[in-house]
Amino acid sequence: MKRRDFISSLGVSAAAANFLVGLPSLGFASPTSPRRKRLVFVFSPNGVIPKHFWPDKTGKDYDLKRILAPLADFQDQMLTMKGICNRIKGDGDGHMRGIGCLLTGIELFPGDIQGGSDTPAGWSMGISVDQHIKNRLQADATTRTRFGSLEFGVMVPDRADTWTRMSYAGANQPVAPISDPYQMFDKLYGQTKNRQMLASVLDDLAGDFKKVGKSLSSEDRQLLNLHLELVRDVEKDLKTEFAAATKNDSDSHAVPKLPPNVEEQNNNMPEITKMQTELLVNSFVADFARVASFQITNSVGQPRMKWLGIDEGHHGLSHEPDSNEEAYEKLIQINTWYAEQIAHMARRMKETPDPSGHGSLLDNTTIIWTNELGKGNSHTRDNIPFVMVGGGLDFRFGEAYDFGKVPHNRLLLSILEGMGMPEKTFGNPDFCGDGALTGLI
């Protein structure tokens, strides 16, 4: 019988079947099953503080500076890549070309979006590397998944412009991330008319999981319990939110107006980031996708990290000169917080068994953390931060690299090579002449 036919014969819902179909105990995955290689591109904005980011030493005996210190537990599964430079010129300001060309490696179209300097611009002229990989995986029946790729966001503004999009399905085709965890949950587990309906669906999902629990191995029951715990947590949040939203339905009251330029979810940013991380991890366990992007705010993003005691917006602080010691220290703290989110994502993947039977999720997933700028107050696109964690690409991890000053197109080629999809060029071919980076594989 086909996998889903067998699962359906157990009398469970389609939402439950999509998760259960990949569990080794049911005979469809085992240590001899093909390994599932996965990628996550994580974006944080406005550059870093190089002195407190890049290791002083290269090779295996590298040192972790203050910003990367939260990743110390993963040093042997991590690599840092200095000397990767975005050489793409053309229309748009530094921030726009920084994010719009980051994963595409090609110029922006002329357009009418005016940045802080330079000429106005539009969308990217080409597909991004995450979507290219998705298309290759979806073209093969053995690697095809339900969604192909998932685009997560955290406080990405509702507006659509060059500063808010990093993924492109093709030329002039930006892909919008989903910043609302509840909307992402709806996408993963079925579209619903309202959240009250979703809460009842979750009850059915939990019941379906219990039906097959006795047929599973202890390892798969552990995966199932983790998944069920997520379902219950979301159910609890949804019921609380629905109760609060409907409490005053019969009362007539004025809708308050918010002051302009205040992010409505600013103080919830840490919680939203963790919720999205849980959904990402569970989507990989369920094999909903093998490629994802995780965009935390946007280029020129202005979150106010009050949980760190910082009231100023991130982008504003990034323009302060290095001589402003107070701003300099706050920027170090902000980037350290971003590193903590990468560490949390890696930790969740490390403690989660891979349903294919090959180690943990982290053993088969590479998290690529990057940025649109090398440094905020200079707007340089030299030494763009690239930090990778996890074994999905089979690179030589546990090392710090310095490639001098090479076009970042060559790194995009290396990523494709690591996924078993080598290409001679990606993006602008003028920056691909020397091919993929040497010494990584």
Side-chain angles (χ1 to χ4, degrees), residues 231-244:
V231 169
R232 282 303 182 195
D233 285 345
V234 174
E235 180 182 33
K236 189 184 301 180
D237 289 344
L238 288 170
K239 286 182 176 178
T240 301
E241 179 180 324
F242 185 78

PDB file of all heavy atoms in Angstrom, residues 231-244:
ATOM      1  N   VAL A 231       1.278  21.043  19.694  1.00  0.00           N
ATOM      2  CA  VAL A 231      -0.141  21.186  19.360  1.00  0.00           C
ATOM      3  C   VAL A 231      -0.927  21.690  20.563  1.00  0.00           C
ATOM      4  O   VAL A 231      -1.753  22.601  20.460  1.00  0.00           O
ATOM      5  CB  VAL A 231      -0.702  19.837  18.863  1.00  0.00           C
ATOM      6  CG1 VAL A 231      -2.220  19.891  18.773  1.00  0.00           C
ATOM      7  CG2 VAL A 231      -0.115  19.491  17.503  1.00  0.00           C
ATOM      8  N   ARG A 232      -0.664  21.103  21.734  1.00  0.00           N
ATOM      9  CA  ARG A 232      -1.395  21.509  22.940  1.00  0.00           C
ATOM     10  C   ARG A 232      -1.079  22.948  23.346  1.00  0.00           C
ATOM     11  O   ARG A 232      -1.957  23.694  23.779  1.00  0.00           O
ATOM     12  CB  ARG A 232      -1.055  20.551  24.089  1.00  0.00           C
ATOM     13  CG  ARG A 232      -1.775  19.220  24.018  1.00  0.00           C
ATOM     14  CD  ARG A 232      -3.274  19.429  23.992  1.00  0.00           C
ATOM     15  NE  ARG A 232      -4.023  18.175  23.971  1.00  0.00           N
ATOM     16  CZ  ARG A 232      -5.294  18.086  23.664  1.00  0.00           C
ATOM     17  NH1 ARG A 232      -5.965  19.171  23.316  1.00  0.00           N
ATOM     18  NH2 ARG A 232      -5.910  16.921  23.671  1.00  0.00           N
ATOM     19  N   ASP A 233       0.193  23.339  23.218  1.00  0.00           N
ATOM     20  CA  ASP A 233       0.576  24.713  23.561  1.00  0.00           C
ATOM     21  C   ASP A 233      -0.134  25.711  22.663  1.00  0.00           C
ATOM     22  O   ASP A 233      -0.640  26.739  23.128  1.00  0.00           O
ATOM     23  CB  ASP A 233       2.093  24.890  23.444  1.00  0.00           C
ATOM     24  CG  ASP A 233       2.842  24.238  24.587  1.00  0.00           C
ATOM     25  OD1 ASP A 233       2.191  23.901  25.598  1.00  0.00           O
ATOM     26  OD2 ASP A 233       4.070  24.064  24.471  1.00  0.00           O
ATOM     27  N   VAL A 234      -0.161  25.415  21.359  1.00  0.00           N
ATOM     28  CA  VAL A 234      -0.840  26.315  20.430  1.00  0.00           C
ATOM     29  C   VAL A 234      -2.335  26.336  20.718  1.00  0.00           C
ATOM     30  O   VAL A 234      -2.981  27.386  20.701  1.00  0.00           O
ATOM     31  CB  VAL A 234      -0.561  25.896  18.975  1.00  0.00           C
ATOM     32  CG1 VAL A 234      -1.390  26.737  18.009  1.00  0.00           C
ATOM     33  CG2 VAL A 234       0.917  26.033  18.653  1.00  0.00           C
ATOM     34  N   GLU A 235      -2.911  25.162  21.027  1.00  0.00           N
ATOM     35  CA  GLU A 235      -4.335  25.085  21.341  1.00  0.00           C
ATOM     36  C   GLU A 235      -4.667  25.970  22.546  1.00  0.00           C
ATOM     37  O   GLU A 235      -5.649  26.714  22.545  1.00  0.00           O
ATOM     38  CB  GLU A 235      -4.736  23.646  21.610  1.00  0.00           C
ATOM     39  CG  GLU A 235      -6.217  23.480  21.944  1.00  0.00           C
ATOM     40  CD  GLU A 235      -6.554  22.037  22.262  1.00  0.00           C
ATOM     41  OE1 GLU A 235      -5.692  21.329  22.815  1.00  0.00           O
ATOM     42  OE2 GLU A 235      -7.674  21.627  21.970  1.00  0.00           O
ATOM     43  N   LYS A 236      -3.803  25.891  23.573  1.00  0.00           N
ATOM     44  CA  LYS A 236      -4.029  26.686  24.782  1.00  0.00           C
ATOM     45  C   LYS A 236      -3.998  28.179  24.455  1.00  0.00           C
ATOM     46  O   LYS A 236      -4.844  28.962  24.899  1.00  0.00           O
ATOM     47  CB  LYS A 236      -2.964  26.346  25.814  1.00  0.00           C
ATOM     48  CG  LYS A 236      -3.217  26.940  27.196  1.00  0.00           C
ATOM     49  CD  LYS A 236      -2.049  26.643  28.137  1.00  0.00           C
ATOM     50  CE  LYS A 236      -1.815  25.149  28.291  1.00  0.00           C
ATOM     51  NZ  LYS A 236      -0.685  24.844  29.197  1.00  0.00           N
ATOM     52  N   ASP A 237      -2.978  28.579  23.651  1.00  0.00           N
ATOM     53  CA  ASP A 237      -2.869  29.991  23.273  1.00  0.00           C
ATOM     54  C   ASP A 237      -4.077  30.445  22.465  1.00  0.00           C
ATOM     55  O   ASP A 237      -4.599  31.543  22.655  1.00  0.00           O
ATOM     56  CB  ASP A 237      -1.594  30.224  22.463  1.00  0.00           C
ATOM     57  CG  ASP A 237      -0.332  30.120  23.310  1.00  0.00           C
ATOM     58  OD1 ASP A 237      -0.459  30.177  24.542  1.00  0.00           O
ATOM     59  OD2 ASP A 237       0.751  29.990  22.735  1.00  0.00           O
ATOM     60  N   LEU A 238      -4.527  29.586  21.545  1.00  0.00           N
ATOM     61  CA  LEU A 238      -5.658  29.949  20.704  1.00  0.00           C
ATOM     62  C   LEU A 238      -6.936  30.132  21.519  1.00  0.00           C
ATOM     63  O   LEU A 238      -7.702  31.062  21.296  1.00  0.00           O
ATOM     64  CB  LEU A 238      -5.875  28.875  19.641  1.00  0.00           C
ATOM     65  CG  LEU A 238      -4.834  28.823  18.505  1.00  0.00           C
ATOM     66  CD1 LEU A 238      -5.036  27.579  17.667  1.00  0.00           C
ATOM     67  CD2 LEU A 238      -4.928  30.064  17.638  1.00  0.00           C
ATOM     68  N   LYS A 239      -7.168  29.231  22.466  1.00  0.00           N
ATOM     69  CA  LYS A 239      -8.382  29.335  23.282  1.00  0.00           C
ATOM     70  C   LYS A 239      -8.349  30.594  24.149  1.00  0.00           C
ATOM     71  O   LYS A 239      -9.353  31.276  24.314  1.00  0.00           O
ATOM     72  CB  LYS A 239      -8.530  28.081  24.142  1.00  0.00           C
ATOM     73  CG  LYS A 239      -8.960  26.860  23.345  1.00  0.00           C
ATOM     74  CD  LYS A 239      -9.157  25.630  24.224  1.00  0.00           C
ATOM     75  CE  LYS A 239      -9.689  24.448  23.410  1.00  0.00           C
ATOM     76  NZ  LYS A 239      -9.847  23.229  24.226  1.00  0.00           N
ATOM     77  N   THR A 240      -7.167  30.902  24.700  1.00  0.00           N
ATOM     78  CA  THR A 240      -7.029  32.116  25.501  1.00  0.00           C
ATOM     79  C   THR A 240      -7.282  33.347  24.651  1.00  0.00           C
ATOM     80  O   THR A 240      -8.002  34.271  25.038  1.00  0.00           O
ATOM     81  CB  THR A 240      -5.630  32.191  26.132  1.00  0.00           C
ATOM     82  OG1 THR A 240      -5.431  31.043  26.946  1.00  0.00           O
ATOM     83  CG2 THR A 240      -5.477  33.453  26.968  1.00  0.00           C
ATOM     84  N   GLU A 241      -6.673  33.345  23.456  1.00  0.00           N
ATOM     85  CA  GLU A 241      -6.827  34.492  22.565  1.00  0.00           C
ATOM     86  C   GLU A 241      -8.275  34.647  22.112  1.00  0.00           C
ATOM     87  O   GLU A 241      -8.816  35.755  22.079  1.00  0.00           O
ATOM     88  CB  GLU A 241      -5.916  34.323  21.347  1.00  0.00           C
ATOM     89  CG  GLU A 241      -6.030  35.473  20.355  1.00  0.00           C
ATOM     90  CD  GLU A 241      -5.126  35.276  19.161  1.00  0.00           C
ATOM     91  OE1 GLU A 241      -4.022  34.756  19.332  1.00  0.00           O
ATOM     92  OE2 GLU A 241      -5.550  35.643  18.060  1.00  0.00           O
ATOM     93  N   PHE A 242      -8.929  33.524  21.786  1.00  0.00           N
ATOM     94  CA  PHE A 242     -10.318  33.598  21.320  1.00  0.00           C
ATOM     95  C   PHE A 242     -11.234  34.100  22.427  1.00  0.00           C
ATOM     96  O   PHE A 242     -12.121  34.917  22.194  1.00  0.00           O
ATOM     97  CB  PHE A 242     -10.784  32.229  20.833  1.00  0.00           C
ATOM     98  CG  PHE A 242     -12.162  32.259  20.226  1.00  0.00           C
ATOM     99  CD1 PHE A 242     -12.348  32.724  18.939  1.00  0.00           C
ATOM    100  CD2 PHE A 242     -13.269  31.843  20.954  1.00  0.00           C
ATOM    101  CE1 PHE A 242     -13.610  32.752  18.377  1.00  0.00           C
ATOM    102  CE2 PHE A 242     -14.531  31.883  20.399  1.00  0.00           C
ATOM    103  CZ  PHE A 242     -14.706  32.336  19.112  1.00  0.00           C
ATOM    104  N   ALA A 243     -10.979  33.637  23.651  1.00  0.00           N
ATOM    105  CA  ALA A 243     -11.797  34.101  24.782  1.00  0.00           C
ATOM    106  C   ALA A 243     -11.645  35.596  24.992  1.00  0.00           C
ATOM    107  O   ALA A 243     -12.611  36.314  25.240  1.00  0.00           O
ATOM    108  CB  ALA A 243     -11.408  33.339  26.046  1.00  0.00           C
ATOM    109  N   ALA A 244     -10.399  36.077  24.877  1.00  0.00           N
ATOM    110  CA  ALA A 244     -10.152  37.511  25.064  1.00  0.00           C
ATOM    111  C   ALA A 244     -10.774  38.321  23.931  1.00  0.00           C
ATOM    112  O   ALA A 244     -11.314  39.411  24.149  1.00  0.00           O
ATOM    113  CB  ALA A 244      -8.653  37.769  25.141  1.00  0.00           C
TER     114      ALA A 244
END
